[in-house]
Amino acid sequence: MKPRDRLRIAMQKSGRLTDPAQELLARCGLKFRQSRDKLFCFGEGEPVDLLLVRDDDIPGLIAEGVCDMGIVGRNVLREYQYSHPEEGVALDELRPLGFGRCRLSIALPQDEAYDSPSQLNGQRIATSYPGLLGEWLRSNGVGAKVVYLAGSVEIAPRLGTADAICDLVSSGATLVANQLRETAILVESEAVLAGRSELPTDERGEIAELLLRRLDGVIQVRDSRLILLQAPRDALAEITSLLPGLPVPTLTAVDGAPDQVVVQALCAGSVSWRQLEDMKRAGARDMLVLPVEKMLA
Ligand code: ATP
Ligand code: ZN
């Protein structure tokens, strides 16, 4: 294969992960020219190109070296690693991305009680995740039959082709609609940036590091708020103890008011009205809560 001097990232062409993945890359400063066949998107500005594919193909494309990284559900990455143990060891979860959250769970017909994995002994379990389910059954010492289905797993118990299912759940509405109940959780999933355990040693390695730094800057502050307020010096201890996440604030003197300071702090998570009102009661005023777009330490 010809060496590449541009980084190539695979992402889902059309599905739940497409929009949030595209938005995340845009926030990292990456722009793409969309090609007509929409399989390959040339990156403008940074030397990073996109490959738009089915999510299930992403781990294999990384393992084969066609792509350097990919944005894919942890469920799909782990399934590949269990079902392709040789190629799978070279792959890693580089960063969790905080969207596409769901669970891979076992679900049983609603009227069946569940108390432990051992009750699945001898049962037929339908799934699109035979690798992950097989591993869970082995580690729990359960002998069940894995029935592979590529899709519509949730109707298998009603059709009589399985006794239970192992499928992705987010709100649980699909399970309820099919008279099923979630029991054991096998994987807590979200979208991840997947890549080879070792970054490329050529120019692509440097581009990958740049991308990871930018991603960290976006992810770290995505749920953060910058809070600005003015406070009397003697109320400072109480007010800073009320700041969500207890950040270390920066203090600035106020000209002409030696008993006052301006407090600036980066809070993890949102700041509620209740918290602002508590700080106001403690003496704070002119409070501003601002979203944070980027951070480079
Ligand atoms: P493709 O055509 O790319 O194969 P797909 O039908 O396999 O698409 P989607 O349904 O778009 O894929 O799901 C993509 C990923 O979104 C899943 O692998 C999972 O990580 C995540 N996800 C989040 N919530 C859910 C859910 N309720 N059901 C299925 N996937 C979910
Ligand atoms: Zn898929």
Side-chain angles (χ1 to χ4, degrees), residues 78-79 82-83 127-136 138 146:
R78 293 246 190 106
E79 177 62 24
Y82 283 122
S83 52
T127 191
S128 309
Y129 294 88
L132 277 167
L133 174 59
E135 175 61 25
W136 184 82
R138 260 190 305 282
V146 177

Side-chain angles (χ1 to χ4, degrees), residues 3 12 31-32 35 39 81-82 91 97 111 115 131 161 168 182 185 235 239 250 256 258 269 281 284 296:
Q12 196 184 20
K31 289 196 191 74
F32 302 96
S35 68
L39 169 70
Q81 289 175 310
Y82 283 122
L91 299 186
L97 300 176
D111 48 12
D115 33 57
T161 52
L168 297 178
E182 184 178 6
I185 296 176
I239 290 169
T250 308
R281 262 192 295 279
L296 188 62

Side-chain angles (χ1 to χ4, degrees), residues 2-265:
K2 206 165 113 257
R4 279 186 284 117
D5 53 5
R6 298 175 63 86
L7 197 73
R8 197 178 285 166
I9 304 178
M11 56 169 268
Q12 196 184 20
K13 178 171 180 160
S14 146
R16 293 169 201 262
L17 305 182
T18 308
D19 289 348
Q22 230 144 22
E23 192 194 322
L24 183 66
L25 294 178
R27 293 191 72 176
C28 291
L30 304 184
K31 289 196 191 74
F32 302 96
R33 196 187 312 152
Q34 212 143 51
S35 68
R36 218 168 310 149
D37 63 2
K38 278 196 169 177
L39 169 70
F40 184 81
C41 300
F42 184 81
E44 297 170 329
E46 307 300 341
V48 181
D49 303 320
L50 269 191
L51 208 58
L52 302 180
V53 294
R54 287 202 53 190
D55 65 345
D56 316 75
D57 294 337
I58 293 175
L61 289 169
I62 304 171
E64 288 161 20
V66 178
C67 293
D68 305 296
M69 293 176 172
I71 296 179
V72 66
R74 178 177 294 135
N75 50 303
V76 172
L77 177 63
R78 293 246 190 106
E79 177 62 24
Y80 180 85
Q81 289 175 310
Y82 283 122
S83 52
H84 300 74
E86 273 174 36
E87 297 91 334
V89 287
L91 299 186
D92 240 350
E93 200 179 296
L94 303 177
R95 295 290 186 279
L97 300 176
F99 59 86
R101 287 186 197 279
C102 59
R103 309 175 291 281
L104 181 70
S105 298
I106 305 269
L108 297 178
Q110 255 161 16
D111 48 12
E112 271 178 45
Y114 175 81
D115 33 57
S116 75
S118 62
Q119 87 188 61
L120 296 166
N121 264 315
Q123 302 237 307
R124 298 161 304 162
I125 309 176
T127 191
S128 309
Y129 294 88
L132 277 167
L133 174 59
E135 175 61 25
W136 184 82
L137 291 171
R138 260 190 305 282
S139 66
N140 283 282
V142 178
K145 182 167 189 286
V146 177
V147 180
Y148 175 75
L149 293 178
S152 303
V153 170
E154 66 280 1
I155 60 171
R158 272 195 294 151
L159 294 180
T161 52
D163 306 296
I165 67 166
C166 169
D167 203 7
L168 297 178
V169 183
S170 48
S171 70
T174 309
L175 293 186
V176 172
N178 288 281
Q179 290 121 48
L180 296 168
R181 191 165 57 86
E182 184 178 6
T183 57
I185 296 176
L186 279 59
V187 180
E188 293 274 6
S189 188
E190 66 187 289
V192 301
L193 181 73
R196 269 183 299 280
S197 325
E198 312 221 338
L199 288 182
T201 47
D202 52 20
E203 282 142 88
R204 285 175 297 156
E206 283 171 35
I207 310 167
E209 277 175 25
L210 170 111
L211 177 66
L212 289 174
R213 268 198 309 274
R214 289 191 185 178
L215 254 184
D216 290 338
V218 171
I219 295 168
Q220 218 178 343
V221 297
R222 191 166 39 194
D223 302 317
S224 304
R225 299 290 181 272
L226 183 72
I227 184 165
L228 290 170
L229 57 87
Q230 188 170 324
R233 278 186 193 276
D234 57 10
L236 210 53
E238 185 181 357
I239 290 169
T240 53
S241 77
L242 293 168
L243 289 170
L246 299 175
V248 180
T250 308
L251 306 179
T252 315
V254 180
D255 261 354
D259 62 325
Q260 296 282 314
V261 276
V262 169
V263 178
Q264 173 184 316

